[in-house]
Amino acid sequence: MAFTTKFSLPSFLNQVNKLTESQRSSIKRAGFGYLLQIPQHVLRRSQLIELMDTWSIEKQAFVFPVGEISITLLDVALILGLRVIGEPVVLKEDAPLTSLEKSFDASVSNRYISVESLKDRLESIGEKDDESFVRVFLLYCFGTLLFPSENGKVDSRYLSFVQDLNNVSCFAWGTAVLQYLHDWLTKRKAEKINKIGGCLILLQIWYYEHIITGRPKLLDGTSTFPRVCRWESSRQYQIMKFEQVEHTQDEESKVIDNLRGEVTELKGIIEEERKEKKVMKKLQDDNEELWKRRVCDEEELKKLVQYENEELMKNIQDEEELKKIAQRKIEELTKRFQDEEELSKRVQFQYEELMKRVHNEEELRKIAQHDIEELKKRVHDVEDLRKIVQYENEDLRKKIQEEEQLRTKAQCENEELRKRVQNEQEVRKRLENEIEEFRTRLDDEEKLRKEVQNENEKLREKSLLDDECILGFETEMAELAKVVDH
């Protein structure tokens, strides 16, 4: 069933080519820098149609005659370079309309922004590099590449996730892209519609990564990141169906003998591949043991890698079944082919397919080794962080002990100060009592002085004595007065 879509990689790349260096840096800081590296790709609609027809709603996976396979979060991270771990991107139906949405002409009844209006905004912004540019460009990226809808519009609720540009890179955008694509594949299969949304370039590159038939030339090995950049996009290839096998007539006995020899050689090649698979399985077992022993803090990443390992094992089992099927078909062809040239071409084609699979298994082994190296580096980083945390904990404990000692010392000094204050209060009371006693004595001495003065006055009135007596009396009185003053 043919399909129509608003997914437009050329439109997105056209806007990317107009960006300045400063604008590219802003997009990279927001976490979408790898999308700017995507080359031009032509959608192979026949391939995508055959792939989408194998989608199972119940299993949420693509089901083939030899087994099933699904798109994982690790696939999204490797193909597009988007973050798959972090805060979820969920559009809530009851989310209130924000002022930022109103600035894009959205309303409660119509919470959608057309891609064309976003394109016009980008044209008016030009080479400016501000927050408004980043938001408009990301919305345009959502509408043409990551979350394209059937009507060419973007949901305005995405603005709540790009309002604070410092937190945009904290969201799991890769997870949201995968879920959006799953929803459209399910909707297309359930409702039997000819419209499709979602990131179709993710679906096409995933097809190249996991299915040998009909894929283009690999430009580079496992070193290219993101992997959307490592596949050739200009050449055209013949599309081959998954279950189609041509039938021809019976062959002559001489051709059969030649084919049996070639089949024997193929069996030897298959046996070598099985040995290589055993080695690969052992490496995977060692990888799982290392993973279980050392990586405890990165639980989510562990789940992703374990799930990917299971997918690789399923792929390997599928390859073995495919080889068995190919072997059985070759045996059947030895009984039916008559034309020696066609038989030779058929066997040579099968042999080339097997060699391609061997090459793909070697690539998978290199990928697994590369993942193991990355895991070892991360484990080493985690151990360094643990040592730093332990060292900081020791410093904190020492500081707490020193603070407790200072607190104890301060308490002792407070006790001594309290005792000194109490002693000073007692001394003050004693001094006050002595001052009162001294005042009492002064009062008594004042009374004595007055009495002495009265007696002196009486003696002066009686001054019948001679001058000598008076002088002697005055002398005595002066001495008495000194005694009283003393």
Side-chain angles (χ1 to χ4, degrees):
M1 182 173 58
F3 67 87
T4 59
T5 180
K6 293 296 182 179
F7 172 85
S8 179
L9 181 60
S11 299
F12 172 74
L13 296 180
N14 186 30
Q15 292 297 327
V16 170
N17 294 332
K18 297 179 182 179
L19 298 180
T20 63
E21 290 299 326
S22 61
Q23 290 176 336
R24 289 175 180 267
S25 299
S26 299
I27 300 301
K28 290 178 181 178
R29 286 194 296 271
F32 294 85
Y34 288 113
L35 297 181
L36 305 180
Q37 302 178 18
I38 298 177
Q40 182 65 262
H41 282 273
V42 178
L43 287 182
R44 306 185 186 279
R45 293 178 175 267
S46 299
Q47 275 183 332
L48 294 176
I49 290 172
E50 290 190 5
L51 182 61
M52 288 188 290
D53 289 342
T54 63
W55 177 256
S56 172
I57 299 177
E58 294 78 13
K59 297 180 180 181
Q60 291 291 291
F62 299 102
V63 179
F64 301 101
V66 295
E68 62 186 52
I69 184 172
S70 61
I71 307 175
T72 65
L73 293 176
L74 184 59
D75 290 328
V76 179
L78 292 177
I79 293 173
L80 297 179
L82 291 177
R83 181 184 176 91
V84 296
I85 300 174
E87 296 294 327
V89 180
V90 180
L91 301 179
K92 297 181 180 179
E93 294 293 337
D94 57 348
L97 185 69
T98 63
S99 59
L100 187 59
E101 292 181 71
K102 293 179 182 179
S103 66
F104 282 83
D105 299 331
S107 62
V108 177
S109 59
N110 182 21
R111 302 187 75 169
Y112 292 96
I113 306 170
S114 67
V115 175
E116 289 299 324
S117 65
L118 294 173
K119 183 178 179 181
D120 294 338
R121 281 177 180 257
L122 288 175
E123 293 293 336
S124 62
I125 290 173
E127 296 184 356
K128 292 182 182 179
D129 181 18
D130 52 11
E131 292 186 355
S132 176
F133 157 73
V134 177
R135 294 192 184 99
V136 175
F137 183 84
L138 291 182
L139 286 180
Y140 188 80
C141 173
F142 295 164
T144 58
L145 183 68
L146 300 181
F147 307 105
S149 62
E150 59 184 359
N151 54 9
K153 295 183 179 181
V154 185
D155 199 312
S156 63
R157 287 175 291 179
Y158 283 115
L159 284 169
S160 62
F161 299 98
V162 299
Q163 185 170 5
D164 187 359
L165 296 181
N166 294 325
N167 296 329
V168 173
S169 60
C170 299
F171 292 99
W173 293 104
T175 305
V177 170
L178 180 59
Q179 184 60 46
Y180 191 76
L181 181 60
H182 279 183
D183 294 343
W184 269 105
L185 291 173
T186 301
K187 183 178 180 180
R188 177 182 181 273
K189 195 67 176 287
E191 300 178 7
K192 296 182 179 180
I193 59 177
N194 62 351
K195 296 181 180 180
I196 187 70
C199 187
L200 297 184
I201 192 64
L202 168 63
L203 188 62
Q204 182 164 297
I205 300 301
W206 177 86
Y207 178 93
Y208 296 163
E209 293 280 334
H210 294 81
I211 300 175
I212 300 174
T213 305
R215 68 184 182 183
K217 181 181 178 182
L218 186 65
L219 296 177
D220 194 2
T222 59
S223 60
T224 303
F225 184 82
R227 293 186 177 179
V228 67
C229 301
R230 70 173 187 165
W231 292 99
E232 188 178 55
S233 59
S234 61
R235 296 179 59 187
Q236 299 293 330
Y237 291 86
Q238 182 182 4
I239 308 303
M240 302 181 68
K241 294 185 178 295
F242 302 115
E243 300 176 349
Q244 182 179 4
V245 178
E246 296 180 353
H247 298 281
T248 58
Q249 300 176 354
D250 297 333
E251 65 170 351
E252 297 178 356
S253 59
K254 183 177 180 180
V255 177
I256 291 175
D257 293 336
N258 293 333
L259 286 175
R260 285 176 180 175
E262 293 177 356
V263 168
T264 303
E265 292 179 359
L266 290 175
K267 287 181 179 180
I269 294 172
I270 293 172
E271 188 65 27
E272 291 178 357
E273 291 177 359
R274 289 178 179 174
K275 292 180 181 179
E276 291 177 355
K277 288 177 182 178
K278 290 181 180 179
V279 175
M280 185 176 179
K281 186 177 181 181
K282 185 177 180 181
L283 288 174
Q284 290 175 348
D285 294 338
D286 294 339
N287 183 18
E288 290 178 359
E289 291 178 2
L290 179 64
W291 185 265
K292 291 178 182 178
R293 285 198 306 266
R294 296 185 178 180
V295 183
C296 296
D297 298 331
E298 301 179 359
E299 291 295 332
E300 193 166 4
L301 182 60
K302 178 181 177 181
K303 292 178 181 179
L304 292 176
V305 175
Q306 286 179 347
Y307 183 73
E308 187 62 19
N309 287 335
E310 292 176 359
E311 292 294 329
L312 289 174
M313 294 300 295
K314 289 180 180 179
N315 290 338
I316 292 172
Q317 292 176 357
D318 294 341
E319 292 292 334
E320 290 179 352
E321 293 179 0
L322 284 172
K323 289 174 183 177
K324 292 179 181 178
I325 293 172
Q327 185 176 358
R328 287 198 301 269
K329 289 180 178 179
I330 290 172
E331 292 176 355
E332 292 175 358
L333 290 173
T334 56
K335 298 177 182 179
R336 297 178 182 177
F337 288 168
Q338 283 186 352
D339 192 347
E340 184 176 355
E341 292 180 357
E342 291 181 359
L343 283 173
S344 299
K345 291 179 181 180
R346 176 62 59 183
V347 173
Q348 185 177 1
F349 175 76
Q350 295 290 340
Y351 177 76
E352 289 176 356
E353 289 292 327
L354 290 174
M355 292 304 294
K356 287 181 181 178
R357 290 173 184 171
V358 171
H359 179 68
N360 291 332
E361 288 178 0
E362 290 178 354
E363 291 180 358
L364 290 174
R365 186 185 306 160
K366 291 179 181 179
I367 293 171
Q369 290 177 353
H370 179 70
D371 293 339
I372 291 171
E373 293 296 329
E374 290 183 354
L375 290 175
K376 288 181 179 179
K377 290 179 181 178
R378 292 182 181 176
V379 170
H380 181 69
D381 293 338
V382 171
E383 290 178 353
D384 291 341
L385 289 174
R386 286 179 180 172
K387 290 180 181 179
I388 293 171
V389 171
Q390 289 177 355
Y391 180 74
E392 291 179 352
N393 288 336
E394 292 295 329
D395 290 340
L396 289 174
R397 289 175 183 172
K398 290 180 180 179
K399 289 180 180 179
I400 291 170
Q401 291 177 355
E402 291 176 357
E403 289 179 356
E404 289 179 352
Q405 292 176 357
L406 291 173
R407 188 180 298 169
T408 305
K409 187 176 180 180
Q411 289 177 353
C412 295
E413 291 178 353
N414 289 334
E415 291 295 330
E416 292 180 358
L417 289 173
R418 289 176 184 173
K419 290 180 181 180
R420 288 180 183 178
V421 170
Q422 290 178 356
N423 292 332
E424 288 179 357
Q425 290 177 353
E426 292 177 357
V427 171
R428 186 180 295 173
K429 289 180 180 179
R430 291 176 184 175
L431 289 173
E432 289 177 353
N433 293 330
E434 291 179 356
I435 290 170
E436 290 294 330
E437 291 177 357
F438 182 73
R439 287 177 180 174
T440 303
R441 289 178 183 177
L442 288 176
D443 293 338
D444 294 338
E445 290 177 355
E446 189 68 27
K447 290 179 181 179
L448 288 173
R449 186 180 293 174
K450 289 180 180 179
E451 291 176 357
V452 170
Q453 288 177 355
N454 292 331
E455 289 178 357
N456 287 334
E457 290 177 357
K458 290 178 180 180
L459 290 172
R460 286 174 183 172
E461 292 176 354
K462 293 179 178 181
S463 58
L464 299 174
L465 299 174
D466 53 6
D467 295 334
E468 292 180 0
C469 292
I470 291 172
L471 291 172
F473 182 74
E474 287 178 356
T475 303
E476 290 178 358
M477 288 302 295
E479 292 178 355
L480 181 61
K482 289 180 181 181
V483 172
V484 171
D485 292 333
H486 180 70

